[in-house]
Amino acid sequence: MKQPLVEGQLVGRSVSRREDPRLLTGRGRFVDDIALPGMLHAQFVRSTVAHGEITSVDLTAVREVPGVVAAFTADDLELADITAELGRPLSEFVPTAMPVLARDRVRYVGEPVAIVVARDAYAVEDGLEAAKVGYATLPPVTSEQTALAPGAPLVHEEATRNTLVDVSLFATDGIDEIFDAAACVVHVESRTGRQNALPLETRGVVAHWDDREEQLVLQTCTQVPHQVRTVASRCLRLDERAVRVVVPDMGGGFGQKCVVGREEIAAAAVALRLRRPVKWIEDRKDALSASFLAREQHYEVRAAFDADGRILGLDADVVCDMGAYSCYPFTAGIEPLMASAEMPGVYRVPAYRVRGRAVTTNKAPTAPYRGVSRPQYVMVVERLFERAARELGLDAVEIRRRNVITEFPYTGVNNITYDPGSYLESLNLCERLVKDEGWYEKRSAAAAEGRHIGIGYSCFSERTGYGSAAFAQRKMRVVPGFDISEVRMDTSGAVTVTTGTMSHGQSHETTMAQIVSDELGLDIGKVRLHQGDTERITYGWGTFASRSITVGGSAVRLAAAKLGEKLCRIAAARWDAARDDVELAGGGAHHRDGRVLTYEELADVAYLQAHLLPKDIEPGLSATATFDVFNDGTFSNATHGVVVELHENTGQVEILRYVCVEDCGVAINPQVVEGQCRGGIAQGIAGALFEQVTYDDQGEPSATSFMDYKVPTAHEIPDVLIHHLETPCAFTETGAKGAGEGGTIGAPAAVLNAVNDALRPTGVELDHTPITPETVHRALNLELSS
Amino acid sequence: MTESGNATDVLLLTLDVNGEQHEVITEPRRTLVDVLRHDLRLTGTHVGCEHGICGACTVLVDDRPTRACLMFAAQAEGARIRTVESLSDGPELSDLQRSFSEHHGLQCGFCTPGFLMLAEGFLAERPEATKDEIREVVASNLCRCTGYQTIVEAIDGCAVARRCPKEF
């Protein structure tokens, strides 16, 4: 980390968002707002069966529907498949190809079989109704248990056990003996429901061929523009330079848009073939049933403790239901490998063994979703601590206090070195905030009245600065991690910054500008950010894993510092002074003797009077920098505390209080960090209590509208008290760690623990989410009848 | 002014949007939100679900917050329609818009026009609204980014400021 940023500058202040005016006035531009001359509208004929051979596709009647312009099958378009790979042996990873349109076989309800384009969005729907697709149905595999059963039908012939990933890691010597000898061994078997990341803006693309640039242009809502470019060029067999990906304003993503979707590639293929612009906007039904899903995991974990409540070991079996295909670029390994590598979390776990598997089923494929496996394994580990506390007669917070990592750097049994965090401090503070508000007394008073109030906590860290090294450990064939930034000053002394990250609500236009503004001593109004355009951005890995400020922001600061250095050298040369006598502030270069050259004056020399520059200084004012995290990453941490009341009559869980103590290092913009926390917590609560993608035994999705898929509203999501701690990060240029996912990670565990605390008199413990009114009702009725 | 009953028939509508009269030739089945967005190019109003739950398409129809995805454009003839584009006069944001920004009541901004129009209609009708009543109304629409708290605070902040204007 560089010198701390000077007090009074913009970093650390809740600067107003530069994104807001256009978004508040309806002048934002989202994908569906784009209209090009002659544009056609695309939708997909989608499989109505979960598993089957395609016996016929007849689009004759489709093509006769008024307004329909064309319709194509996989055979018509001849596109290369999308195949995501890990560099692991076949015993650990089985690569599977995902065709852009299904060719011979369908593997989930909603899988695209054909693409139809029409003159308007209504006619294309008419066209879809006329499609005739024949299927010879195969028995569907609709759960991880049926997928793993001997003799199960195979989703992919090459994955002989319906298993795409199977890794066994970190088997500490003597771990069985540790469990045998332990004073206390507890076990948790846990399932989490399948969820939809559910950005309010569904996926979509406008694709067209630009004759002048000789480029296929995809205006698409993606978190990973460069990766979409790579896949589009490979599927369409174009040079990568012949594809441009531009991301307009984006209505959320949460991970669902950090993988490459087959629909955007198919729409691009049609635009290329017809030489006409093609727009595809996913409707909500498709988004709920056929888009990338997430979260459905099954854990069997044992933990050994000594009599004092110190954890001695963890022994885990993790199975993730990845659905029908491995997503690009992350693969089906993303969830089991994340869980397996990071499960010990914030605790000193001396012995560890884990098996992580990804199984394939006839359900819509999964993608990373905000938190990626951490909401699940944190939930399981936190349940283990609660259970051990009960068995050993310890306080639920005290047992955590005895186990959290307090000395840094700490290298865990999982070979991860954690950078300094405030694990103990956040736990203590969170408990104190809950206590100070009197919730423990309120709990007792409620119990005396026969009401069911519970208090629950969760402690966790989240790896945010995943650099190339961390992803390489996972053995991804495509290794994300670094970021490149350019800072360019024009003759008016104003600056344009590029970043390879892609904001979809995280306020990068503001936070990145704050960083540059401070670094150059330049008014924030003079700084503008470019993101999401593969022609303007050298390369980028987009926005996921809370990497934008840690990695992208560091590259931005480095590039700004380089440009600043050049400005100092130009000023020094103009004054015939020593470089060290010059510093930048207040929109210009200052000599220690009081002379000032404004940026406008310096830029005038750099561009318009370059003959005045010394020979060793090139004309122009731009600088590029890359940044990567070469160690195991950066770790934000938090403790969440939640108070719930269970309602006997309805079985509903009401959240009475939510407290979050978070530490993401230097908060570039505290209001933005709080926004990320609150939004994440809402999504975590959604997973804990409400949302679930369900299927019947034939693999038919049964929650395909907001009537059935229960997204929480302002009624269900409470106000959240947020307290910041600040442990600056040594591994980033800004001292910041990421802040995007923590809320989602902490909420399910805290809510589940609070529910179990409220259920304590019943003797029933719940380990599955979502916690439905039915399960609560059943548990409370057990109490009433006992 | 319809012809006869097949899908290619069109209507000539006159719509009053943000105080301007617009003539639109359109199919009877076309929804109000599609006509606003794609025929009139007022793309500030968004489409989130097309079945009336998420509220991203909320506009004011005769001053009442209305789901523009659940209404045919033809049904809006003769009504006064207001969209998010009407909220600010020139480059200055309205007090409600400023309040959303000050409270960080938006992140990705996709649901925001719907919440703004919901709040605009509600506060006009209930300027004395309590924070609880505001939360009740905010629960009409879905937001996936903010966790709602800051939206409630933004609307409440605007309502309070309107009731007690600062003295200059």
Side-chain angles (χ1 to χ4, degrees):
Chain A
M1 182 190 165
K2 285 183 42 160
Q3 293 301 306
L5 294 138
V6 177
E7 209 174 322
Q9 293 187 311
L10 295 185
V11 166
R13 284 172 47 193
S14 295
V15 171
S16 298
R17 293 213 318 168
R18 295 151 63 78
E19 294 85 343
D20 285 351
R22 72 170 185 276
L23 297 172
L24 286 163
T25 51
R27 292 198 298 266
R29 190 184 62 192
F30 296 86
V31 170
D32 191 37
D33 301 343
I34 297 166
L36 299 177
M39 186 172 75
L40 302 174
H41 296 257
Q43 285 299 341
F44 292 84
V45 177
R46 293 179 181 274
S47 175
T48 53
V49 304
H51 198 189
E53 304 285 349
I54 300 173
T55 53
S56 62
V57 184
D58 182 357
L59 303 177
T60 319
V62 175
R63 296 185 179 105
E64 287 165 2
V65 169
V68 168
V69 173
F72 302 95
T73 63
D75 289 344
D76 297 327
L77 294 178
E78 297 179 336
L79 298 165
D81 296 342
I82 303 170
T83 306
E85 292 177 80
L86 292 176
R88 288 177 180 271
L90 272 178
S91 60
E92 290 188 345
F93 175 73
V94 181
T96 48
M98 178 166 75
V100 174
L101 295 174
R103 257 194 307 274
D104 309 314
R105 191 156 163 190
V106 287
R107 295 185 171 89
Y108 61 95
V109 171
E111 176 156 13
V113 174
I115 179 169
V116 178
V117 284
R119 280 200 299 270
D120 74 54
Y122 287 67
V124 79
E125 300 278 356
D126 296 339
L128 294 184
E129 288 179 13
K132 293 188 182 69
V133 184
Y135 301 99
T137 57
L138 295 165
V141 178
T142 58
S143 73
E144 137 255 327
Q145 296 102 308
T146 51
L148 293 174
L154 294 181
V155 179
H156 294 270
E157 297 297 337
E158 58 272 39
T160 51
R161 293 168 295 129
N162 283 323
T163 301
L164 301 182
V165 174
D166 189 349
V167 293
S168 293
L169 303 172
F170 313 116
T172 308
D173 283 346
I175 189 167
D176 289 320
E177 289 74 19
I178 290 169
F179 272 86
D180 290 345
C184 168
V185 173
V186 289
H187 170 259
V188 165
E189 192 250 331
S190 165
R191 288 178 188 283
T192 53
R194 205 170 191 80
Q195 253 186 287
N196 193 313
L198 211 101
L200 266 193
E201 182 201 29
T202 56
R203 299 181 300 149
V205 64
V206 174
H208 76 279
W209 178 259
D210 182 331
D211 268 312
R212 192 161 165 273
E213 299 289 343
E214 296 186 321
Q215 270 184 326
L216 177 72
V217 182
L218 307 186
Q219 298 184 79
T220 185
C221 53
T222 180
Q223 298 167 234
V224 289
H226 283 85
Q227 288 68 56
V228 170
R229 182 180 69 170
T230 300
V231 172
S233 76
R234 290 181 184 177
C235 287
L236 295 161
R237 300 179 180 86
L238 296 168
D239 288 344
E240 201 160 337
R241 67 174 165 80
V243 180
R244 176 182 186 182
V245 175
V246 184
V247 188
D249 282 321
M250 226 172 124
F254 314 116
Q256 189 179 74
K257 297 173 183 171
C258 81
V259 296
V260 182
R262 52 215 302 201
E263 290 92 343
E264 54 197 327
I265 306 300
V270 173
L272 188 65
R273 192 181 178 105
L274 299 178
R275 287 290 204 262
R276 284 182 72 172
V278 171
K279 173 190 278 189
W280 166 67
I281 301 296
E282 183 178 52
D283 69 18
R284 186 54 67 183
K285 177 173 176 289
D286 288 347
L288 282 166
S289 57
S291 198
F292 292 99
L293 304 173
R295 291 278 197 266
E296 189 170 15
Q297 302 189 354
H298 178 211
Y299 286 71
E300 293 252 9
V301 189
R302 292 189 306 147
F305 289 85
D306 69 15
D308 293 330
R310 287 193 175 76
I311 192 165
L312 302 172
L314 271 177
D315 188 8
D317 186 9
V318 180
V319 180
C320 306
D321 179 343
M322 305 305 293
Y325 293 98
S326 224
C327 62
Y328 185 96
F330 297 97
T331 80
I334 177 97
E335 294 203 333
L337 292 172
M338 178 84 89
S340 300
E342 300 182 14
M343 188 181 294
V346 291
Y347 299 108
R348 287 186 301 262
V349 176
Y352 182 43
R353 177 168 62 198
V354 61
R355 182 182 186 190
R357 280 176 285 175
V359 302
T360 178
T361 55
N362 292 115
K363 295 189 268 194
T366 55
Y369 168 31
R370 198 173 196 174
V372 186
S373 282
R374 288 163 293 191
Q376 292 96 327
Y377 80 66
V378 166
M379 195 171 96
V380 173
V381 171
E382 294 296 293
R383 291 295 309 133
L384 288 164
F385 274 98
E386 295 265 325
R387 195 155 288 168
R390 284 194 192 195
E391 291 213 4
L392 293 166
L394 287 170
D395 175 77
V397 173
E398 177 57 27
I399 195 170
R400 290 178 173 87
R401 249 193 299 269
R402 293 182 188 182
N403 285 284
V404 291
I405 300 163
T406 49
E407 287 173 13
F408 299 94
Y410 176 86
T411 300
V413 68
N414 50 358
N415 292 335
I416 290 173
T417 300
Y418 299 78
D419 70 331
S422 50
Y423 302 171
L424 182 61
E425 296 83 348
S426 65
L427 176 62
N428 287 338
L429 179 55
C430 189
E431 183 193 37
R432 202 184 81 217
L433 291 169
V434 173
K435 278 190 170 158
D436 286 352
E437 288 187 6
W439 287 106
Y440 285 84
E441 289 82 359
K442 288 177 199 167
R443 180 178 66 175
S444 307
E449 296 169 13
R451 287 162 60 209
H452 312 277
I453 287 184
I455 299 171
Y457 296 93
S458 67
C459 296
F460 62 93
S461 68
E462 52 163 324
R463 176 142 56 154
T464 54
Y466 281 94
S468 307
F471 281 114
Q473 276 174 3
R474 198 174 284 170
K475 300 193 169 69
M476 282 176 67
R477 169 67 189 76
V478 173
V479 184
F482 63 87
D483 208 64
I484 305 177
S485 178
E486 185 196 13
V487 177
R488 194 168 62 225
M489 185 175 276
D490 62 27
T491 61
S492 58
V495 154
T496 300
V497 185
T498 70
T499 176
T501 62
M502 180 60 224
S503 180
H504 41 289
Q506 298 93 336
S507 322
H508 294 179
E509 288 168 56
T510 307
T511 51
M512 297 290 191
Q514 286 178 255
I515 292 169
V516 173
S517 177
D518 277 6
E519 186 62 40
L520 291 177
L522 183 62
D523 185 278
I524 195 168
K526 292 269 191 184
V527 185
R528 173 156 185 261
L529 186 73
H530 275 322
Q531 53 187 337
D533 182 342
T534 57
E535 287 298 285
R536 284 174 167 169
I537 319 298
T538 314
Y539 199 81
W541 283 105
T543 287
F544 53 86
S546 305
R547 65 185 299 277
S548 296
I549 286 298
T550 50
V551 182
S554 291
V556 162
R557 190 172 186 209
L558 283 176
K562 264 194 192 175
L563 178 66
E565 180 59 25
K566 183 165 184 177
L567 288 161
C568 286
R569 289 177 58 218
I570 294 173
R574 293 300 296 142
W575 289 320
D576 202 13
R579 156 70 188 87
D580 289 348
D581 290 336
V582 180
E583 64 179 31
L584 303 177
H590 297 250
H591 192 281
R592 63 170 77 220
D593 67 9
R595 282 178 291 176
V596 177
L597 278 166
T598 64
Y599 284 151
E600 206 171 342
E601 289 167 331
L602 290 170
D604 191 75
V605 173
Y607 287 104
L608 305 180
Q609 302 192 69
H611 63 286
L612 299 176
L613 292 171
K615 280 202 176 74
D616 61 344
I617 298 180
E618 291 178 353
L621 286 175
S622 78
T624 301
T626 63
F627 183 80
D628 203 342
V629 178
F630 291 105
N631 52 22
D632 289 338
T634 62
F635 293 80
S636 296
N637 69 274
T639 300
H640 289 204
V642 60
V643 185
V644 301
E645 178 165 6
L646 312 187
H647 293 284
E648 214 166 83
N649 292 335
T650 60
Q652 278 178 328
V653 177
E654 183 188 359
I655 297 177
L656 304 177
R657 190 57 168 143
Y658 205 111
V659 177
C660 165
V661 178
E662 72 82 34
D663 185 344
C664 65
V666 173
I668 306 296
N669 184 319
Q671 190 178 52
V672 166
V673 170
E674 288 178 16
Q676 292 295 308
C677 287
R678 290 202 171 93
I681 287 167
Q683 292 190 8
I685 291 171
L689 299 177
F690 301 102
E691 295 177 4
Q692 187 168 18
V693 178
T694 48
Y695 289 83
D696 69 12
D697 60 4
Q698 290 306 301
E700 179 79 28
S702 43
T704 59
S705 81
F706 286 147
M707 302 297 281
D708 308 304
Y709 190 79
K710 299 193 188 314
V711 184
T713 71
H715 272 310
E716 291 80 33
I717 302 300
D719 285 354
V720 176
L721 174 70
I722 296 170
H723 194 100
H724 301 280
L725 298 176
E726 187 174 302
T727 310
C729 179
F731 306 128
T732 61
E733 288 294 320
T734 55
K737 306 169 177 179
E741 300 171 278
T744 326
I745 295 168
V751 170
L752 185 58
N753 284 337
V755 168
N756 279 311
D757 187 50
L759 285 173
R760 186 180 279 256
T762 69
V764 176
E765 289 186 40
L766 303 176
D767 294 314
H768 305 323
T769 55
I771 309 158
T772 62
E774 290 76 18
T775 51
V776 171
H777 211 244
R778 207 178 307 127
L780 289 173
N781 281 335
L782 275 177
E783 179 205 22
L784 294 175
S785 61
S786 65
Chain B
M1 190 168 90
T2 177
E3 298 187 2
S4 66
N6 69 58
T8 55
D9 282 350
V10 292
L11 299 169
L12 172 62
L13 301 179
T14 305
L15 295 180
D16 175 343
V17 185
N18 302 335
E20 238 180 274
Q21 300 296 309
H22 296 268
E23 291 196 334
V24 186
I25 297 170
T26 186
E27 289 180 50
R29 63 177 174 172
R30 206 157 164 84
T31 61
L32 176 59
V33 72
D34 282 348
V35 167
L36 290 172
R37 287 179 46 75
H38 302 299
D39 298 344
L40 305 183
R41 298 297 301 147
L42 292 166
T43 55
T45 305
H46 295 149
V47 176
C49 72
E50 294 181 285
H51 54 274
I53 307 283
C54 81
C57 65
T58 304
V59 298
L60 299 183
V61 177
D62 287 335
D63 302 324
R64 303 185 71 85
T66 303
R67 311 292 209 214
C69 76
L70 290 185
M71 191 171 181
F72 294 115
Q75 294 173 288
E77 204 167 29
R80 282 173 296 110
I81 301 159
R82 277 187 68 198
T83 68
V84 67
E85 285 88 350
S86 72
L87 282 185
S88 49
D89 188 14
E92 286 295 305
L93 295 180
S94 75
D95 56 349
L96 179 65
Q97 289 166 316
R98 281 200 311 274
S99 194
F100 265 69
S101 186
E102 284 161 14
H103 289 87
H104 195 26
L106 67 156
Q107 289 182 27
C108 78
F110 191 80
C111 70
T112 308
F115 276 105
L116 286 168
M117 298 318 287
L118 181 71
E120 180 79 1
F122 176 66
L123 291 184
E125 195 181 313
R126 289 270 312 137
E128 301 295 324
T130 65
K131 204 166 174 184
D132 282 346
E133 288 169 339
I134 290 168
R135 181 172 283 276
E136 182 86 16
V137 166
V138 166
S140 312
N141 285 15
L142 297 181
C143 168
R144 199 60 173 165
C145 295
T146 61
Y148 303 108
Q149 178 177 345
T150 53
I151 296 177
V152 174
E153 287 167 353
I155 298 170
D156 184 52
C158 177
V160 168
R162 282 182 186 179
R163 288 197 295 264
C164 344
K166 282 185 189 143
E167 296 194 5
F168 293 96

